[in-house]
Amino acid sequence: MIRRRTALTVSAASALLLSAPLITACGDAPRPGAAAVLDGGRITVSQLQAQVKAVRQAQNNDPRAAQTVAGSGRLSQDTLIRMIQFRVIERAGKDNGIHPTRREVQRARSAAEKQSGGATALRALYLQQGIAPGGIDEAVRMDLTRNALLRKLGTSKVNEVFTQTSKALDIRVNPRYGKWDNAQGTAVLAKEAWLRTSGGTPEQA
């Protein structure tokens, strides 16, 4: 696990930069075939399953697969939480003029690879957090956006922005994956608070 505050800190615990009531749950269940509904659109069950499958396949190809798989029993739920959180962060960034470029994402990822001992080591660290190799760039972009919001607005204001954005997105989750808890900003049964399940977290020195 990486602890130094450089380009990236790949740790579920270090992802918890904010703790405030977020994501309001609505009373109506999502439409059939949806894992979640937000902003008038859907995260489909098939989209969620595709991400979960990618993680499982990567785990099966990892020498430490048995340990990794054993630590990801709630993979479907945590993956859905992460997908929703990214939508919230992305919208909050867009509303505040923050758009990390592809080049910025690649720079942050390259710095993390050097810090962690190479691309293979970095992929393994993300995989431990339930993020497949194909999802690393998205996770890096999410954290770059969040950290930029923190620098621009400050922690207190960012909490307010995420709360307002979450409400505006009108988030509803399929009951099979839990129910959104307004105080925690995550699904019931998931003990992690909002943003804790995002995986890798690029931090600025």
Side-chain angles (χ1 to χ4, degrees):
M1 185 175 298
I2 301 170
R3 295 295 184 185
R4 295 174 55 196
R5 297 199 311 162
T6 53
L8 277 173
T9 300
V10 184
S11 165
S14 67
L16 183 59
L17 296 184
L18 310 170
S19 72
L22 295 173
I23 302 183
T24 301
C26 296
D28 298 332
R31 67 196 74 166
V37 174
L38 62 163
D39 198 26
R42 298 190 301 169
I43 295 175
T44 66
V45 172
S46 61
Q47 288 172 331
L48 173 60
Q49 290 175 340
Q51 290 205 17
V52 171
K53 182 179 179 180
V55 173
R56 291 299 189 200
Q57 288 177 336
Q59 288 174 338
N60 289 335
N61 293 326
D62 188 280
R64 296 157 295 183
Q67 179 181 354
T68 305
V69 171
S72 58
R74 295 185 321 201
L75 182 58
S76 292
Q77 185 189 40
D78 287 348
T79 299
L80 180 60
I81 291 170
R82 186 180 301 113
M83 293 171 76
I84 294 172
Q85 289 173 347
F86 182 77
R87 301 287 184 90
V88 175
I89 295 170
E90 185 175 47
R91 172 61 65 83
K94 181 179 180 180
D95 291 346
N96 285 274
I98 295 171
H99 308 276
T101 65
R102 181 176 179 82
R103 185 171 184 178
E104 289 171 335
V105 170
Q106 291 304 312
R107 283 178 175 174
R109 179 169 178 169
S110 294
E113 289 175 351
K114 291 179 181 178
Q115 180 185 346
S116 62
T120 300
L122 184 68
R123 287 195 296 269
L125 288 169
Y126 271 103
L127 189 58
Q128 291 173 11
Q129 304 303 327
I131 298 175
I136 294 177
D137 282 354
E138 182 179 49
V140 171
R141 184 160 60 92
M142 178 187 73
D143 291 312
L144 287 175
T145 301
R146 183 191 56 203
N147 289 340
L149 284 165
L150 283 166
R151 291 193 300 272
K152 181 176 182 177
L153 304 175
T155 301
S156 178
K157 181 62 176 178
V158 168
N159 282 329
E160 295 177 12
V161 168
F162 280 137
T163 301
Q164 294 167 1
T165 303
S166 300
K167 291 179 179 179
L169 291 179
D170 189 21
I171 299 165
R172 289 167 286 161
V173 175
N174 188 315
R176 68 183 290 189
Y177 301 109
K179 181 178 180 180
W180 284 107
D181 183 283
N182 188 54
Q184 293 294 318
T186 189
V188 172
L189 301 179
K191 302 303 182 182
E192 291 83 1
W194 161 240
L195 295 183
R196 192 185 296 268
T197 56
S198 62
T201 59
E203 294 182 352
Q204 298 299 318

